[in-house]
Amino acid sequence: MPTSLWQPNTARQLGMSPYTIFPTEASVTSGLGSSFTSDNVPETSSQSSAFIRLPRFGHSTFNAGAGSVSKIIDMIPRFDNAGNETGALYFQKPERVYVDLNNTDPINVTDVTVDIVRRDETLVKDLTGSTEVLFHIRQKPRM
């Protein structure tokens, strides 16, 4: 029976591909377990896009995926500017998106809470490395 049918196979996510059973020389036994060294960089990829949500500002947007009012301000695709879908991804939008914060008075910003969520607005829990979001804030143009 092939190994992948009777046990979980996370070899690709851990960078251990093409192995499913590790050769004994690949492991170093220590007192409480074993240590393995990967030959490859882990292949991580998201199955769906993510979204940037600012939960504590006065703005209001519409989440078309969920059909509800939201605090989402933008989307993060599952690929980067070079078309890569795995590994460390770098994505920079070619244009800026501005959302009216609906403030009548100046806002003093000392702390910003940023959530990275899925379409159903549940928090994304499978991010690895660091995620950096840059905000460009401007005054509302006079009409």
Side-chain angles (χ1 to χ4, degrees):
M1 175 183 288
T3 304
S4 60
L5 295 178
W6 60 269
Q7 71 180 23
N9 187 0
T10 58
R12 186 178 63 84
Q13 290 87 354
L14 298 175
M16 300 295 189
S17 187
Y19 306 114
T20 52
I21 297 176
F22 296 99
T24 52
E25 65 271 5
S27 66
V28 176
T29 304
S30 62
L32 299 175
S34 297
S35 173
F36 299 92
T37 302
S38 171
D39 292 335
N40 305 308
V41 175
E43 293 180 26
T44 55
S45 75
S46 179
Q47 299 304 311
S48 62
S49 298
F51 299 86
I52 302 168
R53 180 175 67 189
L54 293 174
R56 295 194 178 143
F57 282 98
H59 67 290
S60 180
T61 58
F62 186 75
N63 179 342
S68 61
V69 175
S70 178
K71 298 282 188 177
I72 288 176
I73 61 167
D74 210 350
M75 180 193 123
I76 304 170
R78 47 182 294 253
F79 53 84
D80 68 5
N81 290 95
N84 300 314
E85 293 184 16
T86 62
L89 303 179
Y90 175 79
F91 180 77
Q92 181 176 351
K93 289 185 84 92
E95 75 284 338
R96 292 182 180 149
V97 174
Y98 294 98
V99 175
D100 189 347
L101 296 180
N102 295 326
N103 59 310
T104 56
D105 296 317
I107 299 174
N108 292 322
V109 178
T110 57
D111 186 31
V112 177
T113 300
V114 178
D115 295 337
I116 307 297
V117 297
R118 296 282 180 220
R119 179 175 59 174
D120 63 359
E121 302 216 26
T122 57
L123 291 174
V124 172
K125 298 185 184 216
D126 59 351
L127 293 175
T128 58
S130 65
T131 301
E132 298 172 17
V133 178
L134 174 68
F135 296 105
H136 182 259
I137 300 172
R138 68 175 186 181
Q139 282 190 331
K140 186 175 181 178
R142 303 283 179 216
M143 300 276 198

